[in-house]
């Protein structure tokens, strides 16, 4: 369920329940490849939506269409009530974009990078310094303001990319794979930052292939595969619907696992492989009549593997 969060003072809210992003039947082809294949996506104002999918599912293409870096071949795209690609300038003015690839100016300092964006977003002269200070504060980079970007750690650079996207207090933030390639400590730092943004009511669309990231941060997850939505909903609801409450993880030799799996399927259970084991899902309804193994709660990764047929990190 989208959590009820207060909107920040001074920001005119969209009408409650209005969609910050609305896609209908969106298609994007690259020659013979259909990267996005009839996608519908709703991002309600004030919620965090996670776009989850394996490599090549079409997440980045979708994000690029939302910033009009890529133009859809078919379908309707609306961002903050503005139709794309025609009104993309107006949509961009109220959105913050955190790209997957770091495109900071490495010859400038942290503060100078932010200042450039205060000009690009046409923040009035009298408000510029306050906007920079606020963004530095959100990203916890105040004591690094005079450091040149090429002397920052990878985690600090990511935080600066996010700060840069927030300098004009956007009502919508688009995060493309915000923690890809970062170590677990830095990833957790960024999760805290993104969570704080959610808590203050910023609408967020985040593409990720880290399941845990989507499970922790997103109110609603849309799972994509081959350019299509294969499921969407709050993470807990998706887990309950597709994987039940409990799983049994059974370890064994590959041949053994295959027969355990076949028996479980014949008994009406859903299963997934984890490489070294097979998980039997939704066993809470099986009256204890399941092979011995490790009992665990089901999770979003179970749903992901069931629906996309792929293992991911
Ligand atoms: P990843 O997690 O690997 O970034 P993704 O879900 O973001 O994957 P996309 O990058 O959107 O997926 O790619 C979807 C499909 O479109 C892939 O088959 C990809 O090779 C193809 N594709 C994406 N961009 C282009 C392009 N500019 N030219 C040709 N094909 C492209």
């Amino acid at each position: 369920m989208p959590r009820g969060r207060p909107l920040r003072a001074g920001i005119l809210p969209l009408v409650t329940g209005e969609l910050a992003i609305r896609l209908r039947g969106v298609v994007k082809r690259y020659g013979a490849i259909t990267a996005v294949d009839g996608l519908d996506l709703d991002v309600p104002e004030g919620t965090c939506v996670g776009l989850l999918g394996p490599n090549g599912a079409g997440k980045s293409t979708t994000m690029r269409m939302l910033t009009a870096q890529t133009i859809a071949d078919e379908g309707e795209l609306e961002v903050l009530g503005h139709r794309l690609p025609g009104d993309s300038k107006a949509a961009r003015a109220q959105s913050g974009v955190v790209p997957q690839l770091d495109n900071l100016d490495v010859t400038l300092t942290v503060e100078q990078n932010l200042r450039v964006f205060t000009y690009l977003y046409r923040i009035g002269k009298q408000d510029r310094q306050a906007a920079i200070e606020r963004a530095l504060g959100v990203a916890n980079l105040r004591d690094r303001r005079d450091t040149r970007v090429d002397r920052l750690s990878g985690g600090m650079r990511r935080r600066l990319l996010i700060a840069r996207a927030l300098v004009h207090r956007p009502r919508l933030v688009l995060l493309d794979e915000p923690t890809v390639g970062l170590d677990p400590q830095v990833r957790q730092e960024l999760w805290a930052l993104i969570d704080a943004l959610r808590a203050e009511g910023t609408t967020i669309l985040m593409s990720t292939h880290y399941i845990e990231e989507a499970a922790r941060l997103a109110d609603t997850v849309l799972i994509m595969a081959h350019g299509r939505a294969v499921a969407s909903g709050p993470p807990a609801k998706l887990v309950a619907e597709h994987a039940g409450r409990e799983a049994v993880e059974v370890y064994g030799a590959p041949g053994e696992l295959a027969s355990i799996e076949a028996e479980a399927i014949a008994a009406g259970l859903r299963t997934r492989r984890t490489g070294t084991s097979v998980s039997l899902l939704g066993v809470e309804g099986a009256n204890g009549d399941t092979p011995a193994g490790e009992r665990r709660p089901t999770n979003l990764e179970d749903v992901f593997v069931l629906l996309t047929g792929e293992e991911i990190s």
Side-chain angles (χ1 to χ4, degrees):
M1 286 281 289
R3 282 153 212 148
R5 289 188 232 114
L7 286 160
R8 280 163 298 163
I11 302 275
L12 190 67
L14 290 174
V15 176
T16 309
E18 196 160 320
L19 296 176
I21 295 177
R22 180 179 174 276
L23 303 192
R24 289 294 175 271
V26 170
V27 175
K28 177 67 195 176
R29 298 184 197 91
Y30 293 107
I33 295 171
T34 304
V36 174
D37 191 7
L39 185 68
D40 294 347
L41 168 68
D42 286 347
V43 179
E45 167 78 354
T47 69
C48 176
V49 173
L51 209 53
L52 191 60
N55 292 131
K59 306 180 297 293
S60 297
T61 304
T62 302
M63 298 302 271
R64 284 202 304 274
M65 285 191 285
L66 289 168
T67 51
Q69 290 166 276
T70 296
I71 308 300
D73 295 309
E74 288 173 32
E76 293 172 19
L77 294 94
E78 275 174 30
V79 173
L80 299 170
H82 303 288
R83 206 59 187 265
L84 301 190
D87 285 342
S88 61
K89 220 168 158 186
R92 262 206 308 270
Q94 295 173 295
S95 311
V97 179
V98 182
Q100 191 175 141
L101 290 176
D102 174 341
N103 59 359
L104 295 164
D105 188 330
V106 294
T107 64
L108 299 182
T109 66
V110 167
E111 183 165 345
Q112 287 165 340
N113 266 277
L114 295 177
R115 189 169 301 281
V116 169
F117 270 62
T118 64
Y119 290 107
L120 289 177
Y121 283 117
R122 300 176 193 279
I123 295 173
K125 192 175 173 195
Q126 67 288 357
D127 297 324
R128 269 179 219 146
Q129 197 58 37
I132 291 169
E133 295 304 325
R134 195 175 48 241
L136 285 171
V138 171
N140 201 16
L141 284 169
R142 283 212 172 104
D143 58 349
R144 291 290 180 158
R145 65 173 71 232
D146 296 322
T147 305
R148 258 175 58 150
V149 165
D150 55 6
R151 298 194 185 124
L152 294 177
S153 70
M156 289 173 192
R157 286 172 73 140
R158 275 270 128 195
R159 293 210 305 264
L160 178 56
L161 270 175
I162 295 177
R164 194 185 69 176
L166 300 177
V167 85
H168 58 308
R169 305 200 85 189
R171 45 167 63 162
L172 170 68
V173 177
L174 303 172
L175 293 155
D176 192 5
E177 298 276 5
T179 67
V180 73
L182 298 174
D183 64 38
Q185 287 87 341
V186 177
R187 180 170 301 145
Q188 279 159 34
E189 240 174 64
L190 289 170
W191 286 350
L193 201 168
I194 295 166
D195 202 36
L197 277 181
R198 300 165 68 214
E200 62 168 18
T202 305
T203 308
I204 300 172
L205 176 66
M206 172 181 73
S207 80
T208 181
H209 65 274
Y210 293 114
I211 296 169
E212 192 187 350
E213 186 158 288
R216 278 173 182 255
L217 297 176
D219 297 298
T220 306
V221 167
L222 182 131
I223 301 179
M224 283 184 84
H226 308 295
R228 295 185 188 175
V230 291
S232 77
K237 187 160 174 266
L238 286 180
V239 173
E241 265 173 28
H242 295 276
R245 265 201 327 271
E246 277 182 48
V248 170
E249 196 130 348
V250 187
Y251 292 85
E256 236 178 305
L257 293 184
S259 67
I260 290 168
E261 196 173 30
E263 274 174 40
I265 291 169
L269 290 173
R270 303 189 107 183
T271 68
R272 64 162 279 214
R273 290 288 185 105
T274 64
T276 54
S277 65
V278 59
S279 294
L280 316 184
L281 307 174
V283 291
E284 66 279 0
N287 300 324
D289 190 22
T290 48
E294 218 173 90
R295 281 233 169 199
R296 62 165 178 84
T298 49
N299 56 43
L300 195 59
E301 184 173 310
D302 294 324
V303 179
F304 185 93
V305 177
L306 269 180
L307 298 181
T308 68
E310 308 212 18
E311 290 283 351
I312 56 168
S313 50

